Amino acid sequence: MASKNTVMPFHTLSVTVLMVLGLVHLHGTEAQQQPLVKGLSWNYYEKSCPKLESIIKKQLEKVFKKDVGLAAALLRVHFHDCFVQGCDGSVLLDGSASGPVDSEKTAPPNLSLRGFDIIEDLRSRVNKECGSDTVSCSDITAIVARDAVVLTGGPQYKVPLGRRDGVTFATRNATLANLPSPFVPTETLLTNLAIKNFDATDAVALSGAHTIGVAHCTSFTRRLYPTQDTTMDKTYASNLKGVCPNANTNATTNMDLRSPNVFDNKYYVDLMNRQGLLISDQDLYTDKRTRNIVTSFAVNQTLFFEKFINVMVKMGQMEVLTGTQGEIRKRCSVRNSNDLLISTVDEGENMGKVESF
């Protein structure tokens, strides 16, 4: 049996395969067979902008070659957009110059978001090819998130399209209330995600996005100081203290210890070795409700990819605007009319204060 400070050899996980694979079944093209929200389509821009996806992918290949870290950053933008008043591109909006600074983009969880300039550049390239009233910023954001996964080694999948852009952004409080926190245990995470119609498998699969990207020290140093979290491997904790010598150090570290720039299932292997970075990460393996799902993804990357695709397609349809709702923004950071932006999110739905996800 492995000691507390010994990394578990991956081959030793094989003994659990038969036990856990029966718990989460593979359904082939499950994601592509999901019913779509009215107004969305798998081939929405087939005639109006047939080169849309190739334009985006070609440019992102160049972007990620210069800075692969932007892949995780752009994937995160899509998460943060969808979880707060739906996938409407509202997180891309700047606050009104004449209005309050209380905006979605400047809420604490979103202050560390980056890649807005990449999305704006892509919008410009798409508009040049297809016109400024054809493709929404919210659809571009969804395609970018998919390509961020694919171009770092993850699974290829189709994205339903036809979203329209919102004309309002959420307030700071509404943003805090709707984004999952990195500081909560699995019990709280599952309860909060259930409100948005995600189950335990969805929660574990969504968390797998942490297989790429970095986290700031302030997102995890409470696990190191003043006392070390007992669920964290001691050697791993010691190395993290070298990166973050105190609780408020302004630094970052990779979220996936084994393959930080590759979208794969090694994040789950990290969790099985008590090397998950965030509280919300490691507790997925500690909690009996999700432990076997974590194990099943650790030993079967194909299974993880299938479930990740499924939940991404599901998340990408949250509270979308279609048809004549919203607008097609000419610039992603401002609505077409220059009126004051006012949030329409119900601030009564409270899921707790968060800093990042």
Side-chain angles (χ1 to χ4, degrees):
M1 183 174 179
S3 67
K4 289 186 177 181
N5 294 317
T6 303
V7 175
M8 185 188 305
F10 185 68
H11 65 79
T12 64
L13 304 182
S14 60
V15 297
T16 63
V17 174
L18 294 178
M19 176 183 73
V20 300
L21 287 186
L23 297 177
V24 189
H25 299 287
L26 200 59
H27 295 298
T29 57
E30 175 183 354
Q32 308 304 319
Q33 295 174 353
Q34 288 187 60
L36 298 184
V37 169
K38 184 178 180 180
L40 296 186
S41 164
W42 296 112
N43 56 357
Y44 189 83
Y45 297 108
E46 187 174 48
K47 294 182 179 180
S48 60
C49 194
K51 295 182 179 179
L52 168 63
E53 297 191 41
S54 62
I55 291 171
I56 292 175
K57 185 174 183 180
K58 182 178 179 180
Q59 182 59 22
L60 286 179
E61 287 174 344
K62 297 177 182 178
V63 169
F64 298 156
K65 187 175 182 179
K66 292 181 180 179
D67 182 1
V68 69
L70 280 167
L74 289 165
L75 177 57
R76 188 167 175 245
V77 169
H78 184 48
F79 273 86
H80 282 227
D81 182 35
C82 292
F83 268 85
V84 182
Q85 73 179 40
C87 310
D88 64 348
S90 58
V91 74
L92 308 176
L93 287 170
D94 291 334
S96 170
S98 60
V101 295
D102 179 23
S103 73
E104 183 175 341
K105 200 174 194 178
T106 58
N110 292 334
L111 289 175
S112 59
L113 291 180
R114 65 190 187 109
F116 296 116
D117 57 329
I118 304 300
I119 294 173
E120 194 65 62
D121 175 67
L122 290 169
R123 177 208 54 78
S124 178
R125 292 171 185 273
V126 169
N127 286 5
K128 184 177 181 180
E129 174 71 24
C130 305
S132 62
D133 59 350
T134 303
V135 182
S136 67
C137 293
S138 49
D139 270 348
I140 290 174
T141 302
I143 296 170
V144 166
R146 185 274 311 279
D147 286 350
V149 170
V150 174
L151 293 175
T152 52
Q156 175 67 261
Y157 61 97
K158 293 185 68 176
V159 177
L161 300 170
R163 300 167 190 79
R164 304 267 291 181
D165 296 322
V167 296
T168 64
F169 54 64
T171 63
R172 175 184 185 276
N173 287 341
T175 303
L176 289 169
N178 284 276
L179 285 174
S181 167
F183 306 118
V184 300
T186 296
E187 180 179 6
T188 303
L189 183 66
L190 293 180
T191 299
N192 293 344
L193 290 181
I195 296 172
K196 296 184 180 294
N197 199 33
F198 293 111
D199 61 22
T201 299
D202 293 333
V204 178
L206 277 176
S207 297
H210 291 171
T211 187
I212 55 175
V214 299
H216 291 80
C217 291
T218 52
S219 296
F220 60 84
T221 47
R222 62 179 64 185
R223 299 188 68 200
L224 304 175
Y225 309 109
T227 57
Q228 185 190 312
D229 185 337
T230 58
T231 65
M232 181 180 283
D233 174 76
K234 289 183 178 180
T235 301
Y236 183 50
S238 178
N239 291 336
L240 289 177
K241 288 178 180 179
V243 177
C244 310
N246 62 68
N248 297 312
T249 303
N250 183 20
T252 61
T253 194
N254 293 322
M255 299 191 74
D256 180 354
L257 182 65
R258 286 167 170 74
S259 53
N261 295 321
V262 179
F263 196 98
D264 56 20
N265 67 334
K266 295 300 185 291
Y267 160 83
Y268 299 104
V269 179
D270 293 340
L271 302 190
M272 295 189 71
N273 284 285
R274 296 164 55 244
Q275 295 163 333
L277 187 61
L278 308 177
I279 292 172
S280 59
D281 290 329
Q282 190 57 54
D283 203 54
L284 292 173
Y285 189 65
T286 303
D287 194 294
K288 293 180 180 179
R289 287 166 293 190
T290 49
R291 184 184 183 101
N292 285 334
I293 303 173
V294 169
T295 305
S296 69
F297 289 171
V299 300
N300 189 335
Q301 180 167 276
T302 301
L303 179 63
F304 163 50
F305 281 179
E306 183 75 18
K307 295 304 178 182
F308 184 78
I309 292 171
N310 185 59
V311 75
M312 284 295 287
V313 172
K314 183 177 181 179
M315 183 190 75
Q317 299 186 73
M318 292 171 63
E319 301 177 65
V320 294
L321 303 176
T322 61
T324 59
Q325 298 173 313
E327 63 184 13
I328 304 296
R329 285 187 219 136
K330 292 179 171 57
R331 289 175 52 202
C332 293
S333 59
V334 295
R335 55 181 264 180
N336 292 340
S337 59
N338 205 21
D339 297 332
L340 177 66
L341 302 179
I342 302 174
S343 172
T344 56
V345 170
D346 178 7
E347 295 184 34
E349 183 183 339
N350 186 3
M351 290 170 59
K353 183 177 180 179
V354 300
E355 292 184 21
S356 65
F357 180 57

